[in-house]
Amino acid sequence: MARPRRERFDSAFRSRSHREQRQFLADLWAARGWETRIDGQTIVATRGGETKRIALATESFLGTRSPPAETNVIVALGEIDSPTATVYSVGDIFEMARYGLPEAQSDRLFSAHFGSLLSTPVTERPRRRWLGPLLVLVALLLVVAAAVVTGMIPLSGVQLATQDASPAATESSTSTPTATPVPRAIAPGLTTAGVENATALATAHREALGNHSYQWTIGYRESIAGNQTGSAVETVAVEAPHRYRSSVQRSGTLRAFPRPTASEDAFADGTFRYARRPSEPDGVAVRVIDPETVAGPGRQAIRAESYIDWYLSTENSRVVNSSVENGTQLYEIVGSGNEFPRSVRYTVSAIIEDSGFVRSMEVSYETRDGVTVTVWFEYRAIDETTVEPPSWAVNAR
């Protein structure tokens, strides 16, 4: 099953009836180790001594009335906030189902509920251009062979032509050496031969973000012998360089370092940064943002710059595909073999715009103690993102 994209899941999920949507949520929580049942308009999930009542925030009470009593988890089909319940968007549910479960289990869940709606590939590789000429050549050879057999072309003539052509071809190949193409720049730090300067590419990425708003998703997954042992997915919504909201969902046990996902939920309003920390007296730590500090905590673009410089500093890389989307030139690159600390079998792939903006990236490597790590990130909703403070930060403010 091809990896479903967030947009296709969003469309497929919303097209289902509320009953089917609730059944999917019940099966998702069951796959994550909870015992679930559907009780009227809510899903009841129990594990050990803990119970969650999960409500689907449909149009019937979005902004008009409260969710069912005792609800502590809300899956919202629109914009909603709750001071008493944890709110998940449809995008959050996608992250939990796609990256919060072992891949085989995730595939079965999507297949059971959406069938072929999510199994079609995201993109189709262009067909090999040499296939047509190859078929023509084969047909021509068959015609010549038939003519030789029927006597229309003397066999000796064919042999003579082949013998006469051989010396000329040999002479040509020895007298004219094949020129090696000179790599040309196609983006900052990127040439037709691959990544030439990861630092220059990372800087261009930060500058391309500029003052744009965007949503940035960073995923981290660990597995041993093919079995997922832990994962973390962070969603960052950025309205301005010092105004953003970050939330992290974790599951299982994480062992390896470094990890690109944040260790705490955070909200920045342009002046202050609020971090959700249970160890603090009020559960929240507040820090003044210094706009003059280039690498301060209020700048997500600086953080992305460091990841790109780190992960794309590969020994071997090459451009494997190029395309144009809405007038923007895109390049797909793959790399391997860099000296990532304490790791083996390192691979990386990325989609890069000609401006140097890295749309998405995926990294895989194995630690020395046998843990396979996968890191990925992607950007979406460019210039279409706004940020509202979460309920826990509102109380602190």
Side-chain angles (χ1 to χ4, degrees):
M1 180 178 178
R3 175 174 294 180
R5 290 291 293 269
R6 181 198 303 267
E7 296 80 7
R8 294 211 310 277
F9 171 78
D10 187 281
S11 177
F13 184 80
R14 292 175 185 274
S15 69
R16 292 298 193 260
S17 68
H18 297 331
R19 180 184 61 81
E20 293 171 324
Q21 291 170 344
R22 280 190 286 270
Q23 188 60 60
F24 174 81
L25 296 176
D27 291 348
L28 171 58
W29 256 264
R32 293 168 64 86
W34 296 75
E35 293 184 7
T36 61
R37 62 183 175 87
I38 297 178
D39 181 14
Q41 301 299 309
T42 61
I43 301 111
V44 180
T46 58
R47 184 171 62 186
E50 185 179 3
T51 299
K52 291 182 181 293
R53 297 189 68 89
I54 305 162
L56 181 67
T58 62
E59 295 82 356
S60 61
F61 72 80
L62 271 177
T64 61
R65 66 180 178 87
S66 300
E70 300 180 3
T71 298
N72 47 21
V73 175
I74 298 175
V75 177
L77 299 183
E79 293 296 330
I80 188 174
D81 203 355
S82 170
T84 59
T86 302
V87 180
Y88 294 109
S89 66
V90 177
D92 295 330
I93 295 301
F94 171 82
E95 306 294 351
M96 293 169 62
R98 180 71 260 181
Y99 302 104
L101 296 173
E103 187 167 352
Q105 190 175 7
S106 172
D107 288 344
R108 287 194 298 270
L109 181 65
F110 281 119
S111 178
H113 285 270
F114 304 105
S116 61
L117 286 177
L118 297 179
S119 63
T120 53
V122 177
T123 57
E124 180 180 352
R125 298 288 187 190
R127 297 180 178 179
R128 302 283 188 180
R129 296 184 177 180
W130 45 261
L131 183 58
L134 178 60
L135 293 176
V136 174
L137 178 59
V138 171
L140 181 60
L141 292 175
L142 291 175
V143 171
V144 173
V148 171
V149 172
T150 57
M152 295 177 62
I153 298 179
L155 181 61
S156 59
V158 176
Q159 293 173 334
L160 181 61
T162 303
Q163 293 170 357
D164 290 345
S166 297
T170 303
E171 181 179 353
S172 175
S173 62
T174 56
S175 59
T176 306
T178 302
T180 302
V182 177
R184 60 181 179 84
I186 52 180
L190 182 68
T191 73
T192 51
V195 177
E196 182 180 61
N197 188 329
T199 301
L201 178 60
T203 301
H205 174 84
R206 171 176 55 79
E207 293 175 346
L209 285 176
N211 290 321
H212 296 286
S213 69
Y214 54 88
Q215 291 188 33
W216 183 31
T217 305
I218 311 115
Y220 177 87
R221 182 171 60 248
E222 293 181 6
S223 59
I224 298 177
N227 298 317
Q228 181 172 304
T229 57
S231 66
V233 177
E234 179 185 2
T235 303
V236 186
V238 178
E239 183 176 328
H242 297 289
R243 182 176 178 83
Y244 66 88
R245 177 176 174 175
S246 171
S247 60
V248 187
Q249 298 292 329
R250 300 179 186 83
S251 65
T253 302
L254 299 177
R255 301 169 53 191
F257 289 95
R259 300 174 197 151
T261 51
S263 59
E264 59 190 13
D265 293 353
F267 167 70
D269 61 7
T271 303
F272 298 98
R273 179 182 185 270
Y274 304 83
R276 202 173 192 177
R277 296 178 188 172
S279 60
E280 296 291 333
D282 297 326
V284 178
V286 183
R287 177 178 179 180
V288 177
I289 296 175
D290 182 0
E292 302 301 323
T293 303
V294 175
R299 292 180 178 266
Q300 295 291 332
I302 292 289
R303 181 181 168 204
E305 178 184 22
S306 65
Y307 293 166
I308 292 170
D309 193 9
W310 179 264
Y311 288 120
L312 287 180
S313 295
T314 57
E315 292 178 355
N316 306 298
S317 64
R318 67 185 189 279
V319 178
V320 296
N321 193 24
S322 64
S323 60
V324 178
E325 182 179 305
N326 297 327
T328 300
Q329 183 71 50
L330 304 177
Y331 300 98
E332 179 181 359
I333 66 106
V334 296
S336 62
N338 73 341
E339 298 179 358
F340 195 86
R342 303 177 300 281
S343 71
V344 294
R345 287 181 281 279
Y346 182 95
T347 61
V348 60
S349 62
I351 303 296
I352 303 171
E353 295 185 2
D354 52 5
S355 65
F357 175 65
V358 180
R359 281 194 177 187
S360 63
M361 183 173 67
E362 182 166 332
V363 177
S364 177
Y365 59 91
E366 184 176 318
T367 65
R368 298 294 181 181
D369 53 354
V371 177
T372 299
V373 174
T374 302
V375 177
W376 61 271
F377 74 62
E378 65 179 2
Y379 287 87
R380 63 189 183 93
I382 307 295
D383 292 330
E384 299 176 356
T385 300
T386 58
V387 174
E388 296 297 329
S391 57
W392 58 266
V394 170
N395 298 332
R397 297 168 77 190

Coordinates of all heavy atoms in Angstrom, one line a residue, residues 111-195:
S111 N -6.5 0.5 5.0 CA -7.1 -0.4 4.0 C -8.5 -0.8 4.4 O -9.4 -0.8 3.6 CB -6.2 -1.6 3.7 OG -6.8 -2.4 2.7
A112 N -8.7 -1.2 5.7 CA -10.0 -1.6 6.1 C -11.0 -0.6 6.1 O -12.2 -0.8 5.8 CB -9.8 -2.2 7.6
H113 N -10.7 0.7 6.3 CA -11.7 1.8 6.4 C -11.8 2.6 5.1 O -12.9 3.1 4.9 CB -11.3 2.7 7.5 CG -11.7 2.1 8.9 ND1 -12.9 2.3 9.5 CD2 -10.9 1.3 9.7 CE1 -12.9 1.6 10.7 NE2 -11.7 1.1 10.8
F114 N -10.7 2.6 4.3 CA -10.8 3.5 3.1 C -10.5 2.8 1.8 O -10.6 3.4 0.7 CB -9.9 4.7 3.3 CG -10.2 5.5 4.5 CD1 -9.3 5.4 5.6 CD2 -11.2 6.3 4.6 CE1 -9.6 6.1 6.8 CE2 -11.5 7.0 5.8 CZ -10.7 6.9 6.9
G115 N -10.1 1.5 1.9 CA -9.8 0.8 0.7 C -8.8 1.4 -0.3 O -7.8 1.9 0.1
S116 N -9.2 1.6 -1.5 CA -8.3 2.1 -2.6 C -8.3 3.6 -2.5 O -7.5 4.2 -3.3 CB -8.8 1.6 -4.0 OG -10.1 2.1 -4.2
L117 N -9.1 4.3 -1.7 CA -9.1 5.8 -1.7 C -7.7 6.3 -1.3 O -7.3 7.4 -1.7 CB -10.1 6.3 -0.7 CG -11.6 6.2 -1.2 CD1 -12.5 6.7 -0.1 CD2 -11.8 7.0 -2.5
L118 N -7.0 5.5 -0.4 CA -5.7 6.0 0.0 C -4.5 5.2 -0.5 O -3.4 5.4 -0.1 CB -5.6 6.0 1.6 CG -6.6 6.9 2.3 CD1 -6.5 6.8 3.8 CD2 -6.5 8.3 1.9
S119 N -4.8 4.2 -1.4 CA -3.7 3.4 -1.8 C -3.1 3.8 -3.1 O -2.1 3.2 -3.6 CB -4.3 1.9 -2.0 OG -5.3 1.9 -3.0
T120 N -3.6 4.8 -3.8 CA -3.1 5.2 -5.1 C -1.8 6.0 -4.8 O -1.7 6.8 -3.9 CB -4.0 6.1 -5.9 OG1 -4.5 7.2 -5.0 CG2 -5.3 5.3 -6.3
P121 N -0.7 5.8 -5.7 CA 0.5 6.6 -5.4 C 0.3 8.1 -5.6 O -0.6 8.5 -6.3 CB 1.4 6.0 -6.6 CG 0.8 4.8 -7.0 CD -0.7 4.9 -6.8
V122 N 1.1 8.8 -4.8 CA 1.0 10.3 -4.8 C 1.4 10.8 -6.2 O 0.7 11.7 -6.7 CB 1.9 10.9 -3.7 CG1 1.8 12.4 -3.8 CG2 1.5 10.4 -2.4
T123 N 2.4 10.3 -6.7 CA 2.9 10.8 -8.0 C 3.2 9.6 -8.9 O 3.5 8.5 -8.4 CB 4.2 11.7 -7.9 OG1 5.2 10.9 -7.2 CG2 3.8 13.0 -7.1
E124 N 3.3 9.8 -10.2 CA 3.6 8.7 -11.1 C 4.9 9.1 -11.8 O 5.0 10.2 -12.3 CB 2.5 8.5 -12.1 CG 2.8 7.4 -13.1 CD 1.7 7.2 -14.1 OE1 0.6 7.8 -13.9 OE2 1.9 6.5 -15.1
R125 N 5.9 8.3 -11.7 CA 7.1 8.5 -12.4 C 6.9 8.6 -13.9 O 6.1 7.9 -14.5 CB 8.1 7.4 -12.1 CG 8.5 7.3 -10.6 CD 9.3 8.4 -10.2 NE 9.8 8.2 -8.8 CZ 10.3 9.1 -8.1 NH1 10.6 10.3 -8.6 NH2 10.7 8.8 -6.9
P126 N 7.6 9.5 -14.6 CA 7.5 9.6 -16.0 C 8.0 8.3 -16.6 O 8.9 7.7 -16.1 CB 8.4 10.8 -16.4 CG 9.3 11.0 -15.2 CD 8.6 10.5 -14.0
R127 N 7.4 7.9 -17.7 CA 7.8 6.7 -18.4 C 9.1 6.8 -19.0 O 9.5 7.9 -19.4 CB 6.7 6.3 -19.5 CG 5.3 6.0 -18.9 CD 4.4 5.7 -20.0 NE 3.1 5.4 -19.5 CZ 2.0 5.0 -20.2 NH1 2.1 5.0 -21.5 NH2 0.9 4.8 -19.6
R128 N 9.8 5.7 -19.1 CA 11.1 5.7 -19.7 C 11.0 6.1 -21.2 O 10.3 5.5 -22.0 CB 11.8 4.3 -19.7 CG 11.9 3.8 -18.2 CD 13.1 4.5 -17.6 NE 13.4 3.9 -16.3 CZ 14.3 4.3 -15.5 NH1 15.1 5.3 -15.8 NH2 14.5 3.7 -14.3
R129 N 11.8 7.1 -21.6 CA 11.6 7.6 -23.0 C 12.3 6.7 -24.0 O 12.1 6.9 -25.2 CB 12.3 9.0 -23.0 CG 11.5 10.1 -22.2 CD 12.1 11.5 -22.4 NE 11.3 12.4 -21.6 CZ 11.6 13.7 -21.6 NH1 12.6 14.2 -22.3 NH2 10.8 14.5 -20.8
W130 N 13.1 5.8 -23.5 CA 13.8 4.9 -24.5 C 13.0 3.7 -24.9 O 13.3 3.0 -25.7 CB 15.1 4.5 -23.9 CG 15.1 4.0 -22.5 CD1 15.5 4.7 -21.4 CD2 14.7 2.7 -22.0 NE1 15.3 3.9 -20.3 CE2 14.8 2.7 -20.6 CE3 14.2 1.6 -22.7 CZ2 14.5 1.6 -19.8 CZ3 13.8 0.5 -21.9 CH2 14.0 0.5 -20.5
L131 N 11.8 3.6 -24.3 CA 11.0 2.4 -24.5 C 10.5 2.4 -26.0 O 10.5 1.4 -26.7 CB 9.8 2.3 -23.6 CG 8.9 1.1 -23.7 CD1 9.7 -0.2 -23.5 CD2 7.8 1.1 -22.7
G132 N 10.0 3.5 -26.5 CA 9.5 3.6 -27.8 C 10.6 3.3 -28.9 O 10.4 2.4 -29.7
P133 N 11.7 4.0 -28.8 CA 12.8 3.7 -29.8 C 13.3 2.2 -29.7 O 13.6 1.6 -30.7 CB 13.9 4.6 -29.4 CG 13.2 5.8 -28.8 CD 12.1 5.2 -28.1
L134 N 13.3 1.6 -28.5 CA 13.7 0.3 -28.4 C 12.8 -0.7 -29.1 O 13.2 -1.6 -29.8 CB 13.8 -0.1 -26.9 CG 14.1 -1.6 -26.6 CD1 15.5 -1.9 -27.1 CD2 14.1 -1.8 -25.1
L135 N 11.4 -0.4 -29.0 CA 10.5 -1.3 -29.7 C 10.6 -1.1 -31.3 O 10.5 -2.1 -32.0 CB 9.0 -0.9 -29.3 CG 8.7 -1.2 -27.9 CD1 7.3 -0.6 -27.6 CD2 8.7 -2.6 -27.6
V136 N 10.9 0.1 -31.7 CA 11.1 0.3 -33.2 C 12.4 -0.5 -33.6 O 12.4 -1.2 -34.7 CB 11.3 1.8 -33.5 CG1 11.7 2.0 -34.9 CG2 10.0 2.5 -33.2
L137 N 13.5 -0.5 -32.8 CA 14.7 -1.2 -33.2 C 14.4 -2.7 -33.2 O 14.9 -3.4 -34.2 CB 15.8 -0.9 -32.2 CG 17.1 -1.6 -32.3 CD1 17.7 -1.2 -33.7 CD2 18.1 -1.2 -31.2
V138 N 13.7 -3.2 -32.3 CA 13.4 -4.7 -32.3 C 12.6 -5.1 -33.5 O 12.9 -6.1 -34.1 CB 12.6 -5.0 -31.0 CG1 12.1 -6.5 -31.0 CG2 13.5 -4.9 -29.8
A139 N 11.6 -4.2 -33.8 CA 10.8 -4.5 -35.0 C 11.6 -4.5 -36.3 O 11.5 -5.4 -37.2 CB 9.6 -3.5 -35.1
L140 N 12.6 -3.5 -36.4 CA 13.4 -3.5 -37.6 C 14.3 -4.7 -37.7 O 14.5 -5.2 -38.8 CB 14.3 -2.2 -37.5 CG 15.3 -1.9 -38.6 CD1 14.5 -1.8 -39.9 CD2 16.1 -0.7 -38.4
L141 N 14.9 -5.2 -36.6 CA 15.7 -6.4 -36.6 C 14.9 -7.6 -37.0 O 15.4 -8.4 -37.7 CB 16.3 -6.6 -35.2 CG 17.4 -5.6 -34.8 CD1 17.8 -5.8 -33.3 CD2 18.6 -5.6 -35.7
L142 N 13.6 -7.7 -36.6 CA 12.8 -8.8 -37.0 C 12.6 -8.8 -38.5 O 12.5 -9.8 -39.2 CB 11.5 -8.8 -36.2 CG 11.6 -9.1 -34.7 CD1 10.2 -8.9 -34.1 CD2 12.1 -10.5 -34.5
V143 N 12.3 -7.6 -39.1 CA 12.1 -7.5 -40.5 C 13.3 -7.9 -41.3 O 13.3 -8.6 -42.3 CB 11.7 -6.0 -40.9 CG1 11.7 -5.8 -42.4 CG2 10.3 -5.7 -40.3
V144 N 14.5 -7.4 -40.8 CA 15.8 -7.8 -41.5 C 16.0 -9.3 -41.4 O 16.4 -10.0 -42.4 CB 17.0 -7.1 -40.9 CG1 18.3 -7.6 -41.4 CG2 16.8 -5.6 -41.1
A145 N 15.7 -9.9 -40.2 CA 15.9 -11.3 -40.1 C 15.0 -12.1 -41.0 O 15.4 -13.1 -41.6 CB 15.7 -11.7 -38.6
A146 N 13.7 -11.7 -41.2 CA 12.8 -12.3 -42.0 C 13.2 -12.2 -43.5 O 13.1 -13.2 -44.3 CB 11.4 -11.7 -41.9
A147 N 13.8 -11.1 -43.9 CA 14.3 -10.9 -45.2 C 15.4 -11.8 -45.5 O 15.6 -12.3 -46.6 CB 14.6 -9.4 -45.5
V148 N 16.3 -12.0 -44.6 CA 17.5 -12.9 -44.8 C 17.0 -14.3 -45.0 O 17.5 -15.1 -45.8 CB 18.5 -12.8 -43.6 CG1 19.5 -13.9 -43.7 CG2 19.1 -11.4 -43.6
V149 N 16.1 -14.7 -44.1 CA 15.6 -16.1 -44.2 C 14.9 -16.4 -45.6 O 15.1 -17.5 -46.2 CB 14.6 -16.4 -43.1 CG1 13.9 -17.8 -43.2 CG2 15.3 -16.4 -41.7
T150 N 14.1 -15.4 -46.1 CA 13.4 -15.7 -47.4 C 14.3 -15.4 -48.6 O 13.8 -15.6 -49.7 CB 12.2 -14.7 -47.4 OG1 12.6 -13.4 -47.3 CG2 11.2 -15.0 -46.3
G151 N 15.5 -14.9 -48.4 CA 16.4 -14.7 -49.5 C 16.4 -13.4 -50.1 O 17.0 -13.1 -51.1
M152 N 15.5 -12.5 -49.5 CA 15.4 -11.1 -50.1 C 16.7 -10.4 -49.9 O 17.1 -9.5 -50.7 CB 14.3 -10.4 -49.5 CG 12.9 -11.0 -49.8 SD 11.5 -10.1 -49.0 CE 11.7 -8.5 -49.7
I153 N 17.4 -10.6 -48.8 CA 18.7 -10.0 -48.6 C 19.8 -11.1 -48.4 O 19.6 -11.9 -47.5 CB 18.7 -9.1 -47.3 CG1 17.7 -8.0 -47.5 CG2 20.1 -8.5 -47.0 CD1 17.5 -7.1 -46.3
P154 N 20.8 -11.1 -49.2 CA 21.9 -12.2 -49.1 C 22.5 -12.1 -47.7 O 22.8 -11.0 -47.2 CB 22.9 -11.8 -50.2 CG 22.1 -10.9 -51.1 CD 21.1 -10.2 -50.3
L155 N 22.7 -13.2 -47.1 CA 23.3 -13.3 -45.8 C 24.7 -12.7 -45.8 O 25.2 -12.0 -44.9 CB 23.3 -14.7 -45.3 CG 24.0 -15.0 -43.9 CD1 23.2 -14.2 -42.9 CD2 24.0 -16.4 -43.5
S156 N 25.5 -13.0 -46.9 CA 26.8 -12.5 -47.0 C 26.9 -11.0 -47.0 O 27.8 -10.4 -46.5 CB 27.5 -13.0 -48.3 OG 26.7 -12.6 -49.5
G157 N 25.8 -10.3 -47.6 CA 25.8 -8.9 -47.6 C 25.7 -8.3 -46.2 O 26.3 -7.3 -45.9
V158 N 24.8 -9.0 -45.4 CA 24.7 -8.5 -44.1 C 25.9 -8.7 -43.3 O 26.4 -7.8 -42.5 CB 23.5 -9.4 -43.4 CG1 23.4 -9.0 -41.9 CG2 22.2 -9.1 -44.1
Q159 N 26.6 -9.8 -43.5 CA 27.9 -10.0 -42.8 C 28.9 -9.0 -43.2 O 29.7 -8.5 -42.4 CB 28.4 -11.5 -43.1 CG 27.5 -12.5 -42.4 CD 27.9 -13.9 -42.9 OE1 28.5 -14.1 -44.0 NE2 27.6 -14.9 -42.1
L160 N 29.0 -8.7 -44.5 CA 29.9 -7.8 -45.0 C 29.7 -6.4 -44.4 O 30.7 -5.7 -44.0 CB 29.9 -7.7 -46.6 CG 30.9 -6.8 -47.3 CD1 32.3 -7.2 -46.9 CD2 30.6 -6.8 -48.8
A161 N 28.4 -6.0 -44.4 CA 28.1 -4.7 -43.8 C 28.5 -4.6 -42.4 O 29.1 -3.6 -41.9 CB 26.6 -4.4 -43.9
T162 N 28.3 -5.7 -41.6 CA 28.7 -5.7 -40.2 C 30.2 -5.6 -40.1 O 30.8 -4.9 -39.2 CB 28.2 -7.0 -39.6 OG1 26.8 -7.0 -39.7 CG2 28.5 -7.0 -38.1
Q163 N 31.0 -6.4 -40.9 CA 32.4 -6.3 -40.8 C 33.0 -5.0 -41.2 O 33.9 -4.5 -40.6 CB 33.0 -7.4 -41.8 CG 32.7 -8.8 -41.3 CD 33.0 -9.9 -42.4 OE1 33.4 -9.5 -43.5 NE2 32.8 -11.1 -42.0
D164 N 32.3 -4.3 -42.2 CA 32.8 -3.0 -42.6 C 32.6 -2.0 -41.6 O 33.4 -1.0 -41.4 CB 32.1 -2.6 -43.9 CG 32.6 -3.4 -45.1 OD1 33.7 -4.1 -44.9 OD2 31.9 -3.5 -46.1
A165 N 31.5 -2.1 -40.8 CA 31.1 -1.1 -39.8 C 32.0 -1.2 -38.6 O 32.2 -0.2 -37.9 CB 29.7 -1.2 -39.4
S166 N 32.5 -2.4 -38.2 CA 33.2 -2.5 -37.0 C 34.5 -1.7 -36.9 O 34.7 -1.0 -35.9 CB 33.5 -4.0 -36.8 OG 32.3 -4.8 -36.7
P167 N 35.4 -1.7 -37.9 CA 36.6 -0.9 -37.8 C 36.3 0.6 -37.6 O 36.9 1.3 -36.8 CB 37.4 -1.2 -39.1 CG 36.8 -2.5 -39.5 CD 35.4 -2.5 -39.1
A168 N 35.3 1.1 -38.3 CA 35.0 2.5 -38.2 C 34.5 2.8 -36.8 O 34.9 3.9 -36.3 CB 33.9 2.9 -39.3
A169 N 33.7 1.9 -36.3 CA 33.2 2.2 -34.9 C 34.3 2.2 -33.9 O 34.4 3.0 -33.0 CB 32.1 1.2 -34.5
T170 N 35.2 1.3 -34.1 CA 36.4 1.2 -33.2 C 37.3 2.4 -33.3 O 37.7 3.0 -32.3 CB 37.2 -0.1 -33.5 OG1 36.3 -1.2 -33.4 CG2 38.4 -0.2 -32.5
E171 N 37.5 2.8 -34.5 CA 38.4 4.0 -34.7 C 37.7 5.2 -34.1 O 38.4 6.0 -33.5 CB 38.6 4.2 -36.2 CG 39.5 5.4 -36.5 CD 39.7 5.5 -38.0 OE1 39.2 4.7 -38.8 OE2 40.3 6.6 -38.4
S172 N 36.4 5.3 -34.3 CA 35.7 6.5 -33.7 C 35.7 6.6 -32.2 O 36.0 7.6 -31.6 CB 34.2 6.5 -34.2 OG 33.5 7.6 -33.6
S173 N 35.6 5.4 -31.6 CA 35.5 5.3 -30.1 C 36.9 5.6 -29.5 O 37.0 6.1 -28.4 CB 35.0 4.0 -29.7 OG 35.9 2.9 -30.1
T174 N 38.0 5.3 -30.2 CA 39.3 5.5 -29.7 C 39.8 6.9 -29.9 O 40.6 7.4 -29.2 CB 40.3 4.5 -30.3 OG1 40.3 4.6 -31.7 CG2 39.9 3.1 -29.9
S175 N 39.3 7.5 -31.0 CA 39.8 8.8 -31.4 C 39.1 10.0 -30.7 O 39.6 11.1 -30.6 CB 39.8 9.0 -32.9 OG 38.5 8.9 -33.4
T176 N 37.8 9.7 -30.2 CA 37.0 10.8 -29.7 C 36.6 10.5 -28.2 O 35.7 9.7 -28.0 CB 35.7 11.0 -30.5 OG1 36.1 11.3 -31.8 CG2 34.9 12.2 -29.9
P177 N 37.3 11.0 -27.2 CA 37.0 10.6 -25.8 C 35.7 11.3 -25.4 O 35.3 12.3 -25.9 CB 38.2 11.3 -25.0 CG 38.7 12.3 -25.9 CD 38.5 11.8 -27.3
T178 N 34.9 10.6 -24.6 CA 33.6 11.1 -24.1 C 33.8 12.2 -23.0 O 34.6 12.0 -22.1 CB 32.8 9.9 -23.4 OG1 32.6 8.9 -24.4 CG2 31.4 10.4 -23.0
A179 N 33.2 13.3 -23.2 CA 33.4 14.4 -22.3 C 32.5 14.2 -21.1 O 31.4 13.8 -21.2 CB 33.0 15.7 -23.0
T180 N 33.0 14.6 -19.9 CA 32.3 14.5 -18.7 C 31.6 15.8 -18.4 O 32.2 16.9 -18.4 CB 33.3 14.2 -17.5 OG1 34.0 13.0 -17.7 CG2 32.5 14.1 -16.2
P181 N 30.2 15.7 -18.3 CA 29.5 17.0 -18.1 C 29.9 17.7 -16.8 O 30.2 17.1 -15.8 CB 28.0 16.5 -18.0 CG 28.0 15.1 -18.5 CD 29.4 14.5 -18.3
V182 N 30.0 19.0 -17.0 CA 30.4 19.8 -15.8 C 29.1 20.1 -15.0 O 28.2 20.6 -15.5 CB 31.1 21.1 -16.3 CG1 31.4 22.0 -15.1 CG2 32.3 20.8 -17.1
P183 N 29.1 19.8 -13.7 CA 27.9 20.1 -12.9 C 27.6 21.6 -12.9 O 28.5 22.5 -12.8 CB 28.4 19.7 -11.5 CG 29.5 18.7 -11.7 CD 30.2 19.2 -12.9
R184 N 26.3 21.9 -13.0 CA 25.9 23.3 -13.0 C 25.0 23.5 -11.8 O 24.3 22.6 -11.4 CB 25.2 23.7 -14.3 CG 23.9 22.9 -14.6 CD 23.3 23.3 -15.9 NE 22.1 22.5 -16.2 CZ 20.9 22.7 -15.7 NH1 20.7 23.8 -14.9 NH2 19.9 22.0 -16.0
A185 N 25.0 24.7 -11.3 CA 24.2 25.1 -10.1 C 22.7 25.2 -10.5 O 22.3 25.7 -11.5 CB 24.6 26.4 -9.5
I186 N 21.8 24.5 -9.7 CA 20.4 24.6 -10.0 C 19.6 25.1 -8.8 O 18.5 25.5 -8.9 CB 19.9 23.2 -10.3 CG1 20.3 22.1 -9.2 CG2 20.3 22.7 -11.7 CD1 19.8 20.7 -9.5
A187 N 20.3 25.3 -7.6 CA 19.7 25.9 -6.4 C 20.9 26.2 -5.5 O 22.0 25.7 -5.7 CB 18.8 25.0 -5.7
P188 N 20.8 27.1 -4.5 CA 21.9 27.4 -3.6 C 22.4 26.1 -3.0 O 21.6 25.4 -2.3 CB 21.3 28.4 -2.6 CG 20.1 29.0 -3.4 CD 19.6 28.0 -4.3
G189 N 23.7 25.8 -3.1 CA 24.3 24.7 -2.5 C 24.0 23.4 -3.3 O 24.4 22.3 -2.8
L190 N 23.2 23.4 -4.3 CA 22.8 22.2 -5.1 C 23.2 22.3 -6.5 O 22.9 23.4 -7.2 CB 21.3 22.0 -4.9 CG 20.7 20.8 -5.6 CD1 21.2 19.5 -4.9 CD2 19.2 20.8 -5.6
T191 N 23.8 21.3 -7.1 CA 24.1 21.2 -8.5 C 23.5 20.0 -9.2 O 22.9 19.2 -8.5 CB 25.7 21.2 -8.7 OG1 26.1 19.8 -8.4 CG2 26.4 22.2 -7.9
T192 N 23.6 19.9 -10.5 CA 23.1 18.8 -11.2 C 23.7 17.5 -10.7 O 23.2 16.4 -10.9 CB 23.3 18.9 -12.7 OG1 24.7 19.2 -12.9 CG2 22.4 20.0 -13.2
A193 N 24.9 17.6 -10.0 CA 25.5 16.4 -9.5 C 25.1 16.0 -8.1 O 25.5 14.9 -7.6 CB 27.1 16.5 -9.5
G194 N 24.4 16.9 -7.4 CA 23.9 16.6 -6.1 C 24.2 17.8 -5.1 O 24.4 18.9 -5.6
V195 N 24.1 17.5 -3.8 CA 24.4 18.5 -2.8 C 25.8 18.9 -2.8 O 26.7 18.0 -2.4 CB 23.9 18.1 -1.4 CG1 24.2 19.2 -0.4 CG2 22.4 17.8 -1.4

